[in-house]
Every structure is written in C-alpha cells, then in structure tokens.
C-alpha cells in the first residue's frame, strides 16, 4: 500500500544519504534489501538470488559445468573427493574417490570452503589445470584439460540388475534417464535400483519427465494446490 511504499522509500533515502558501508559484501543495496525481505520470511523454500547466484544455481541443477568431473566436500586439508564421474578429465587422469584436492594450478586449497575450492578448480573450457592430490599420505600431480561435464545421471549394469544414479533433476535429466532405461532394456535387465540418496533436487518438470517413463498412461503423477485452493492434477502421458 501507499503507506508501506512511503516507509520503504524513506528508509532507502536515509541509507543513501547517511549510511557508511563498512561491510565486505559485494552485493549492491537493492540485492541486499530484497535478500532481507525474502529470506526473512522464515520459509526455507523461498529464497532470493542475485544474477550470479542464479547462474551458479542453474548450472548446479542441470549438473553441467566446465571442470574436471568430481564431487567433493571441503575438509581442513582441501577437497575430499566423494565421487569421480565416468568419462571426465578427472576419471581419465586417474583421480579416485578418497583423494584430497590440495592444490590447483599452484594455488593451495587448504582451509578453503567448498565454493572457494570450486572457483579454483573450474575454469574456461579446454584450459589446462594442474591438480595436486593427497593419497595415502603421498602427493600426486595430475595434468588435465577442463571440459564441459554433465553429471546428472550415471548408470551401470551389474549381472541381472541395472543401477541408475540420478544426481540432480535438470533440464536434460529425463532424456538421460530414458537413455539409461533403453540401455537396460537392450541388456535384458529385469530389475532396476534407482539411487537418489545424494540428489540435490531440481525441477519438478524433470521429475515429471522421469515418472512419465515409469508410470502407466493417465495415472496421476502428482497434484498441486495453488494459493486460492485450486487443485491441479498431472497425469502420465504414455512414454
């Protein structure tokens, strides 16, 4: 309403005129104000992102980035590799789960958080990166060329069953799951294990696309209720 707008404008004018910024934030005033407005709603599922944060978020959801192809967590020594994805620079170079990333192109990764480690490991496509890892108390060096990596889906056939690891629900995930299911069918797989333990979430449309591959035609996949109470049903479309 008008009174609220007047109050907001008055606060903005006071801040513009009087406030001395002694923080180390790189966010502009508008981003910080909207961030405070949205993130203080007390809802864990409602967030405001800047353009840079949104771009990083979308890349993360789609499981696509230019890098070496590992997942890791930050520990005191550097980045502990949790998984190395197939047919990526790290996989082909010989980096293994359990290795600790301690240096990237001469820059130490010790004591950094996961975002800072990622910034030093990723880079321009086809650029060279020299990664030093710690393995069994020995330092090893791997030289790689960064490539565009997609890590939303992994699959493998073990004897009589297929293993399908869905890492995130991105734009192309349903297509990649369909490719996996066709590979399972060609190898006469009868049982499938679907692993979503480490899935970071993503788009509802991606989940819908995957369920279309598994759920019979016209069966309800999900229902959604909007703010005014209207309920919408989404059904499988015979894929």
């Amino acid at each position: 309403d008008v009174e609220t707008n007047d109050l907001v404008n008055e606060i903005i004018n006071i801040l513009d005129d009087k406030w001395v910024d002694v923080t180390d934030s790189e966010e502009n005033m508008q981003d910080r104000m909207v961030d405070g407005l949205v993130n203080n709603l007390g809802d864990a599922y409602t967030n405001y992102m800047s353009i840079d944060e949104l771009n990083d978020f979308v890349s993360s959801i789609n499981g696509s980035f230019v890098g070496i192809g590992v997942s890791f967590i930050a520990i005191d020594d550097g980045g502990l590799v949790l998984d190395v994805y197939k047919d990526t620079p790290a996989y082909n170079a010989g980096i293994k789960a359990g290795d600790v990333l301690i240096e990237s192109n001469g820059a130490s990764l010790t004591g950094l958080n996961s975002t800072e480690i990622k910034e030093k490991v990723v880079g321009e496509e086809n650029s060279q990166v020299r990664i030093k890892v710690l393995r069994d108390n020995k330092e090893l060096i791997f030289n790689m060329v960064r490539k565009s990596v997609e890590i939303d889906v992994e699959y493998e056939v073990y004897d009589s069953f297929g293993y399908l690891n869905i890492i995130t629900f991105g734009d192309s995930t349903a297509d990649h799951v369909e490719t996996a299911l066709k590979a399972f069918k060609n190898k006469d797989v009868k049982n499938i294990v679907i692993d979503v333990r480490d899935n970071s979430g993503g788009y509802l449309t991606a989940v819908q696309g995957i369920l279309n591959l598994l759920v019979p035609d016209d069966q309800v996949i999900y229902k959604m209720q909007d703010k005014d109470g209207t309920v919408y049903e989404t059904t499988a479309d015979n894929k």
Side-chain angles (χ1 to χ4, degrees):
D1 56 29
V2 175
E3 186 176 340
T4 300
N5 288 336
D6 288 344
L7 175 61
V8 171
N9 288 330
E10 183 179 353
I11 292 171
I12 291 173
N13 290 333
I14 291 171
L15 290 174
D16 280 340
D17 187 46
K18 304 287 187 181
W19 181 58
V20 178
D21 187 357
V22 295
T23 73
D24 58 1
S25 174
E26 295 182 1
E27 283 187 302
N28 61 38
M29 175 72 75
Q30 177 177 296
D31 279 345
R32 283 193 248 185
M33 290 182 63
V34 179
D35 182 73
L37 171 67
V38 176
N39 292 346
N40 280 300
L41 292 173
D43 177 9
Y45 304 103
T46 303
N47 297 280
Y48 171 76
M49 297 180 187
S50 67
I51 292 296
D52 289 340
E53 288 171 334
L54 177 62
N55 290 335
D56 287 343
F57 181 69
V58 169
S59 295
S60 176
I61 284 180
N62 289 330
S64 60
F65 58 89
V66 175
I68 63 174
V70 301
S71 65
F72 66 90
I73 57 172
I75 61 174
D76 290 342
D77 292 334
L80 174 62
V81 177
L82 302 178
D83 202 357
V84 181
Y85 300 105
K86 284 191 174 181
D87 300 322
T88 61
Y91 181 88
N92 295 329
I95 290 180
K96 299 178 180 179
D99 289 348
V100 179
L101 310 175
I102 59 174
E103 195 175 285
S104 176
N105 279 347
S108 174
L109 306 179
T110 301
L112 303 184
N113 62 38
S114 58
T115 300
E116 292 167 335
I117 293 173
K118 178 183 175 183
E119 288 174 350
K120 292 186 180 301
V121 173
V122 302
E124 296 293 325
E125 189 166 10
N126 296 321
S127 61
Q128 293 277 346
V129 61
R130 181 176 181 267
I131 299 292
K132 182 184 289 186
V133 309
L134 189 63
R135 179 188 298 170
D136 297 329
N137 294 318
K138 295 180 181 178
E139 292 185 357
L140 303 174
I141 293 175
F142 298 92
N143 292 298
M144 286 164 276
V145 177
R146 296 182 178 102
K147 296 293 182 183
S148 180
V149 175
E150 287 189 332
I151 56 168
D152 58 339
V153 172
E154 287 187 310
Y155 62 93
E156 194 77 53
V157 174
Y158 298 95
D159 297 328
S160 63
F161 71 90
Y163 172 75
L164 176 61
N165 184 16
I166 305 177
I167 299 160
T168 185
F169 295 113
D171 282 334
S172 302
T173 303
D175 292 335
H176 295 159
V177 169
E178 185 171 7
T179 298
L181 295 179
K182 287 178 178 177
F184 292 161
K185 188 173 183 179
N186 289 337
K187 294 191 177 182
D188 201 30
V189 166
K190 302 298 183 186
N191 305 289
I192 302 173
V193 174
I194 301 177
D195 187 350
V196 290
R197 288 174 297 177
D198 296 319
N199 190 293
S200 58
Y203 300 125
L204 179 61
T205 51
V207 180
Q208 178 182 336
I210 293 168
L211 291 175
N212 273 331
L213 303 169
L214 303 170
V215 175
D217 190 23
D218 292 330
Q219 184 169 316
V220 174
I221 294 177
Y222 65 87
K223 297 181 181 181
M224 182 179 293
Q225 181 174 312
D226 67 14
K227 190 170 184 176
D228 68 8
T230 304
V231 176
Y232 301 92
E233 287 188 352
T234 298
T235 58
D237 64 3
N238 198 28
K239 286 204 71 178

